Every structure is written in C-alpha cells, then in structure tokens.
Amino acid sequence: MRPQRPVTEEEKKSLQDLLKKTKTKADFQRVQCLWLRAEFAMSSEHVGTAIGYSPATVKKLWSEYFSKGEKALIGLGRGGRRRANLSTEAEKRLLADFFEKAERGRVLVVTEVKNAYEKAVGHPVPKSTVYRMLARYGWRKVAPRPRHPKFDPKKMEEFKKNSRNSEK
C-alpha cells in the first residue's frame, strides 16, 4: 500500500477554518473527513466509521481535495434532473399552449400533450413521463363525478315527501 500524502500545517489551519465556516451538514462532514486525517492521522476505515461514510468515499474525498483543493469540499449539490429529456424552459414552452387552452375551459387531453412531447424529444416516452411533467407545473386531473358519493335515491324521495314545501 502506498503511503499517504502528508498534510501541511497550512492545510491543517485551512481545514480548521473551513470547519467553522461550513453551513450544511454535508459540507461539514466532507471537511471533517479531511480534518480527521490531518489532525489525528486516522485511516480511511476509522474516518469512515466516525463520520458515517464508506472507506471508499473517504478516499475519494481525499483524492479530490488534493487535486482540486477546498472547492472539492464545499457547496457540492445533490440531486437534479440528470436524465431530463427537455429543460424546464423547453417544457414550459411546450405546455404554454395547452395550459392556455385549459384556462379557456378546454379539456387538457394527455395524449395530445404526449404526442407533442414525443415530437419535441424525438423519441417515444411513457405516459408516466408526461404525467410527472404536468404535475411539476401544477396540473392535476380533475374530472366531474356523475353524482355525489353520498347520493341515495331512497333518502331523496323521503326528503321530498317530508319537507316543508311538499304538497300535502
């Protein structure tokens, strides 16, 4: 096994200052990962156990820090739309026409939206993709019921017979 790269006193001081400046838990853990190595010469297994990372993740963080510096530790985002077919702006442009029609009282037909989406993307997509996109922009399926769920014809006739306005 190759010996670890030594951490200079300047880097130790910089890591201590960085620990105080972090604002999120994830940033703190990444900085702490290096600080534990620098301050206590802990192995990747021990650092991983202390922080809750796997030893492989710890080694990866160390490597990124030594190649990129402090920017490899602070402000790394999580999540995002990595497999998006269209950007959010393109989706808004695509849906603008459909939502305009819906505001005028027209029914939004998902099959039409799906066909337009597939034309914009250039390949077929599942209907669930279109439904998720519509949900992102606040659309929800609203369909009128044929009758109230508590509708009871017997109770209605009874009410008609016994109401004040009924002719006796």
Side-chain angles (χ1 to χ4, degrees), residues 8-38:
T8 66
E9 288 300 318
E10 184 180 305
E11 288 173 329
K12 284 183 187 180
K13 177 75 174 120
S14 141
L15 288 169
Q16 284 178 340
D17 293 341
L18 212 53
L19 271 175
K20 295 173 187 172
K21 292 178 187 174
T22 57
K23 294 182 178 156
T24 66
K25 178 185 174 187
D27 287 348
F28 184 83
Q29 283 179 314
R30 285 191 295 268
V31 174
Q32 190 179 33
C33 182
L34 271 129
W35 179 79
L36 288 171
R37 174 185 171 175

Side-chain angles (χ1 to χ4, degrees), residues 55-69:
T57 303
V58 171
K59 288 178 182 176
K60 183 180 172 194
L61 275 169
W62 289 352
S63 173
E64 285 180 14
Y65 173 74
F66 289 125
S67 64
K68 298 177 185 172

Side-chain angles (χ1 to χ4, degrees), residues 152-162:
D152 185 3
K154 291 177 185 174
K155 286 185 180 179
M156 192 168 122
E157 286 301 319
E158 186 68 32
F159 178 78
K160 285 181 183 177
K161 290 178 185 174
N162 298 325

Side-chain angles (χ1 to χ4, degrees), residues 13 29 48 52 55 72-73 82 85 88 91-92 97 113 115 125-127 132 138-139 148-149 165-167:
K13 177 75 174 120
Q29 283 179 314
L73 303 175
R82 291 181 183 84
N85 290 318
T88 54
E91 285 180 352
K92 287 177 186 176
D97 205 26
V113 178
N115 291 337
V125 294
K127 233 179 191 179
R132 283 195 321 270
W139 179 83
H148 194 277
N165 297 336
S166 67
E167 295 182 29

Side-chain angles (χ1 to χ4, degrees), residues 38-115:
E39 199 64 38
F40 301 111
M42 293 174 74
S43 68
S44 60
E45 290 80 15
H46 289 112
V47 171
T49 302
I51 295 175
Y53 285 173
S54 70
T57 303
V58 171
K59 288 178 182 176
K60 183 180 172 194
L61 275 169
W62 289 352
S63 173
E64 285 180 14
Y65 173 74
F66 289 125
S67 64
K68 298 177 185 172
E70 290 180 2
K71 63 182 168 185
L73 303 175
I74 301 294
L76 300 175
R78 295 176 61 121
R81 296 179 59 203
R82 291 181 183 84
R83 291 186 171 89
N85 290 318
L86 295 174
S87 67
T88 54
E89 294 80 24
E91 285 180 352
K92 287 177 186 176
R93 283 193 306 269
L94 177 77
L95 292 175
D97 205 26
F98 292 103
F99 283 140
E100 188 178 305
K101 289 178 186 174
E103 286 175 1
R104 285 189 263 133
R106 300 282 315 266
V107 176
L108 181 73
V109 181
V110 175
T111 308
E112 292 174 6
V113 178
K114 182 178 184 286
N115 291 337

